[in-house]
Amino acid sequence: MISVIVNGINVTVPGSYTVMQAAALAGFEIPSLCNHPDLQVQDRCKICVVDINGELKTACTETVAPGMIVKTFTPRVLEEKRKNLKQILRVHPQDCLQCARNQNCELQALSATLGIRSFEHKLLQLPRDTSTPSLIRDQSKCILCGRCVEVCNDIQTVGALEIKDGIVGTVDYRPLGETKCVMCGQCALACPVGAIIENEEIDKFLAAVADPDTVVVTQIAPAVRVAVAEEVGMRTGSLDMLQFVAGLRQLGFDYVFHTNFTADLTILEEGNELLKRLKEGGVLPMLTSCSPGWINFIETFYPEQLDHLSTCKSPQQMFGSLVKTYWAEKQGVDPAKIYSVSIMPCTAKKYEAARPEMNDSGYRDVDLVLTTREVGKLLRMCGIRFKQLEPSNFDSLMGAYTGAGVIFGASGGVMEAALRTVYEVVTGKALADVNFTMVRGIQGIKEAEVDLDGTVVKVAVANSLGSARQLMEQVKAGTSPYHFIEVMCCPGGCIGGGGQPIPSTVADRTRRINAIYEEDARLPLRKSHDNPEVKLLYDDFLQEPLGEKSHKLLHTHYTPKNQ
Ligand code: SF4
Ligand code: SF4
Ligand code: SF4
Ligand code: FES
């Protein structure tokens, strides 16, 4: 432990602490910009400059040392900070009012904090990159912090971005859509400004609800509900689900359903697919297929391993094909009039919905994907106050769900949901405890073994693409010890998806995961095969898991990408 003096206050901290951490412990927040609690990148913006024993140094890079005397806000320090910030602002576009990050921008907030009112300005306007359906890059707004590069290269191991000649950009300056980008949006979560944002499509939704001939239906993904509360100033997970439904009806949705319903359905299809592969000697390990960023990743980096993927569509796409067939038929609605909007935590879902094969209903199965952030903007735009709204139930036929569907939103949730069902189907016994806690949590790779009446099934869960790559190297080498692997593209699972509220630090993701499991524990039904509307769907329409109709509507194929 080392003692240092910060602004006259003595504080004792571990020797590994930075000056910034020591100052925080002493009670002083040092304004910063490139620094991020979950990332290594530092020393690029020079905003965190402080006086250390008479010299100006960056607090995010300097580690504490014996005898250190730190002053965080002398006139000289403040002048230096303001000078460094003005350098950044000098070439930054002045269009906060038109910017997606307006009021949630670290640069904007910092300018206010440091009281910057005027500065020399020389605009460097560069074209916006709109080459993907998921994300928009605005290089003019980039403050060169490098956070996105670390996320893309070190956490996701995709390598679509790089720092070259002092510029942060795409590899070889190619449009993002021509790189290996998987559209996960993790860079957008890390970006302190509006230089990478989701492709915002709120206007398409407003046009659909304004058309009286259109039946606008929606599905809400499990990770959305816990996090959307953050968008409207509430505590994570504290928004009552049925008040959220009421709020969505106020926005203009004619029917409100839950993606949890098709998450339960996915378990029935995927669980049976796994059992079939185990019984008939099919390709193992089987890999989950519900995360579109992960699908892009395996199609790009491991195209020769595609037959390991489950052929199940994601719950979003299963919902899309069923709402325009099964639900339309039962409800007597012309499917041509249905506009299907999904509310997702994910930017890659925008790409998934636009894939050419996702039209098995005879129409585009999902017409529009709005992220949690976009729905947050809509809710704020319409001034909806949930507390005063009468709760409203989900619509029937595709609105019932179990705790197994809810936990799809967290890393390990698909695996746990599958194990709850597979165990009971194989053994014919009721599970004494449905909680498979060994696959929960934020760690990169989790493992478990489950005894199915004498057959031991070995499973693993990969959390983030960097972890998936580790497991895929084993699969590629033929040394994978597992029968079944869950992969979620985004760290923490969908609760940390690229369309979720900003910030999405590890601490935020952990809070959302806890809210997911709390909801699961509260529900009366916690196993997918107990979902009454899923049973009805099989009885009235699909007949059986992996049957003919299921194959047409609920399963898909994958395409190697050669980039
Ligand atoms: S990135 Fe921030 S400072 Fe820049 S225009 Fe957008 S809101 Fe304003
Ligand atoms: S969306 Fe994901 S893969 Fe694409 S650049 Fe951003 S972090 Fe990299
Ligand atoms: S795009 Fe955003 S995260 Fe990446 S370097 Fe620029 S400002 Fe930083
Ligand atoms: S926050 Fe320390 S250099 Fe940017």
PDB file of all heavy atoms in Angstrom, residues 135 152 158 160-161 176 181-185 187, ligand 2:
ATOM      1  N   LEU A 135     -25.215   0.220 -38.403  1.00  0.00           N
ATOM      2  CA  LEU A 135     -24.437   1.287 -37.758  1.00  0.00           C
ATOM      3  C   LEU A 135     -24.078   2.397 -38.730  1.00  0.00           C
ATOM      4  O   LEU A 135     -23.953   2.149 -39.932  1.00  0.00           O
ATOM      5  CB  LEU A 135     -23.139   0.693 -37.186  1.00  0.00           C
ATOM      6  CG  LEU A 135     -23.351  -0.293 -36.044  1.00  0.00           C
ATOM      7  CD1 LEU A 135     -22.188  -1.256 -35.952  1.00  0.00           C
ATOM      8  CD2 LEU A 135     -23.532   0.442 -34.725  1.00  0.00           C
ATOM      9  N   CYS A 152     -13.193  -3.654 -30.545  1.00  0.00           N
ATOM     10  CA  CYS A 152     -13.329  -4.457 -31.766  1.00  0.00           C
ATOM     11  C   CYS A 152     -12.195  -5.488 -31.884  1.00  0.00           C
ATOM     12  O   CYS A 152     -12.429  -6.629 -32.260  1.00  0.00           O
ATOM     13  CB  CYS A 152     -13.355  -3.537 -32.980  1.00  0.00           C
ATOM     14  SG  CYS A 152     -13.741  -4.383 -34.506  1.00  0.00           S
ATOM     15  N   VAL A 158     -12.452  -9.053 -33.817  1.00  0.00           N
ATOM     16  CA  VAL A 158     -12.928  -8.940 -35.202  1.00  0.00           C
ATOM     17  C   VAL A 158     -11.902  -8.211 -36.064  1.00  0.00           C
ATOM     18  O   VAL A 158     -11.587  -8.637 -37.174  1.00  0.00           O
ATOM     19  CB  VAL A 158     -14.303  -8.226 -35.247  1.00  0.00           C
ATOM     20  CG1 VAL A 158     -14.692  -7.888 -36.681  1.00  0.00           C
ATOM     21  CG2 VAL A 158     -15.377  -9.110 -34.605  1.00  0.00           C
ATOM     22  N   ALA A 160     -12.049  -4.985 -37.343  1.00  0.00           N
ATOM     23  CA  ALA A 160     -12.574  -4.157 -38.434  1.00  0.00           C
ATOM     24  C   ALA A 160     -12.033  -2.732 -38.368  1.00  0.00           C
ATOM     25  O   ALA A 160     -12.094  -1.997 -39.347  1.00  0.00           O
ATOM     26  CB  ALA A 160     -14.104  -4.127 -38.372  1.00  0.00           C
ATOM     27  N   LEU A 161     -11.505  -2.346 -37.192  1.00  0.00           N
ATOM     28  CA  LEU A 161     -11.058  -0.966 -36.983  1.00  0.00           C
ATOM     29  C   LEU A 161      -9.567  -0.954 -36.657  1.00  0.00           C
ATOM     30  O   LEU A 161      -9.032  -1.935 -36.131  1.00  0.00           O
ATOM     31  CB  LEU A 161     -11.839  -0.336 -35.822  1.00  0.00           C
ATOM     32  CG  LEU A 161     -13.366  -0.350 -35.938  1.00  0.00           C
ATOM     33  CD1 LEU A 161     -13.995   0.146 -34.639  1.00  0.00           C
ATOM     34  CD2 LEU A 161     -13.837   0.497 -37.109  1.00  0.00           C
ATOM     35  N   LEU A 176     -17.375   0.478 -43.656  1.00  0.00           N
ATOM     36  CA  LEU A 176     -17.521  -0.546 -42.609  1.00  0.00           C
ATOM     37  C   LEU A 176     -18.135  -1.832 -43.170  1.00  0.00           C
ATOM     38  O   LEU A 176     -17.729  -2.936 -42.818  1.00  0.00           O
ATOM     39  CB  LEU A 176     -18.406   0.017 -41.473  1.00  0.00           C
ATOM     40  CG  LEU A 176     -18.415  -0.769 -40.176  1.00  0.00           C
ATOM     41  CD1 LEU A 176     -17.028  -0.868 -39.559  1.00  0.00           C
ATOM     42  CD2 LEU A 176     -19.397  -0.155 -39.180  1.00  0.00           C
ATOM     43  N   CYS A 181     -16.493  -6.447 -40.112  1.00  0.00           N
ATOM     44  CA  CYS A 181     -17.418  -6.015 -39.052  1.00  0.00           C
ATOM     45  C   CYS A 181     -18.625  -6.955 -38.969  1.00  0.00           C
ATOM     46  O   CYS A 181     -19.242  -7.270 -39.975  1.00  0.00           O
ATOM     47  CB  CYS A 181     -17.893  -4.590 -39.350  1.00  0.00           C
ATOM     48  SG  CYS A 181     -19.203  -4.038 -38.250  1.00  0.00           S
ATOM     49  N   VAL A 182     -18.972  -7.377 -37.744  1.00  0.00           N
ATOM     50  CA  VAL A 182     -20.117  -8.275 -37.554  1.00  0.00           C
ATOM     51  C   VAL A 182     -21.347  -7.510 -37.067  1.00  0.00           C
ATOM     52  O   VAL A 182     -22.370  -8.098 -36.758  1.00  0.00           O
ATOM     53  CB  VAL A 182     -19.774  -9.418 -36.576  1.00  0.00           C
ATOM     54  CG1 VAL A 182     -18.594 -10.225 -37.098  1.00  0.00           C
ATOM     55  CG2 VAL A 182     -19.486  -8.893 -35.170  1.00  0.00           C
ATOM     56  N   MET A 183     -21.214  -6.184 -36.967  1.00  0.00           N
ATOM     57  CA  MET A 183     -22.330  -5.287 -36.628  1.00  0.00           C
ATOM     58  C   MET A 183     -22.830  -5.431 -35.187  1.00  0.00           C
ATOM     59  O   MET A 183     -24.000  -5.178 -34.887  1.00  0.00           O
ATOM     60  CB  MET A 183     -23.470  -5.441 -37.627  1.00  0.00           C
ATOM     61  CG  MET A 183     -23.055  -4.928 -38.996  1.00  0.00           C
ATOM     62  SD  MET A 183     -24.238  -5.290 -40.258  1.00  0.00           S
ATOM     63  CE  MET A 183     -23.260  -6.279 -41.368  1.00  0.00           C
ATOM     64  N   CYS A 184     -21.928  -5.850 -34.313  1.00  0.00           N
ATOM     65  CA  CYS A 184     -22.308  -6.059 -32.913  1.00  0.00           C
ATOM     66  C   CYS A 184     -22.612  -4.758 -32.177  1.00  0.00           C
ATOM     67  O   CYS A 184     -23.303  -4.769 -31.158  1.00  0.00           O
ATOM     68  CB  CYS A 184     -21.205  -6.807 -32.173  1.00  0.00           C
ATOM     69  SG  CYS A 184     -19.674  -5.859 -31.983  1.00  0.00           S
ATOM     70  N   GLY A 185     -22.064  -3.636 -32.649  1.00  0.00           N
ATOM     71  CA  GLY A 185     -22.350  -2.347 -32.021  1.00  0.00           C
ATOM     72  C   GLY A 185     -21.623  -2.113 -30.704  1.00  0.00           C
ATOM     73  O   GLY A 185     -21.890  -1.127 -30.012  1.00  0.00           O
ATOM     74  N   CYS A 187     -18.663  -1.153 -30.382  1.00  0.00           N
ATOM     75  CA  CYS A 187     -17.913   0.092 -30.554  1.00  0.00           C
ATOM     76  C   CYS A 187     -18.804   1.297 -30.247  1.00  0.00           C
ATOM     77  O   CYS A 187     -18.352   2.287 -29.678  1.00  0.00           O
ATOM     78  CB  CYS A 187     -17.356   0.180 -31.977  1.00  0.00           C
ATOM     79  SG  CYS A 187     -18.603  -0.137 -33.241  1.00  0.00           S
TER      80      CYS A 187
HETATM   81  S1  SF4 B   2     -19.785  -3.267 -34.770  1.00  0.00           S
HETATM   82 FE1  SF4 B   2     -18.513  -4.758 -33.650  1.00  0.00          FE
HETATM   83  S2  SF4 B   2     -17.349  -5.742 -35.267  1.00  0.00           S
HETATM   84 FE2  SF4 B   2     -18.162  -3.872 -36.158  1.00  0.00          FE
HETATM   85  S3  SF4 B   2     -16.600  -2.329 -35.882  1.00  0.00           S
HETATM   86 FE3  SF4 B   2     -17.940  -2.197 -34.113  1.00  0.00          FE
HETATM   87  S4  SF4 B   2     -17.006  -3.530 -32.548  1.00  0.00           S
HETATM   88 FE4  SF4 B   2     -16.095  -4.044 -34.537  1.00  0.00          FE
END
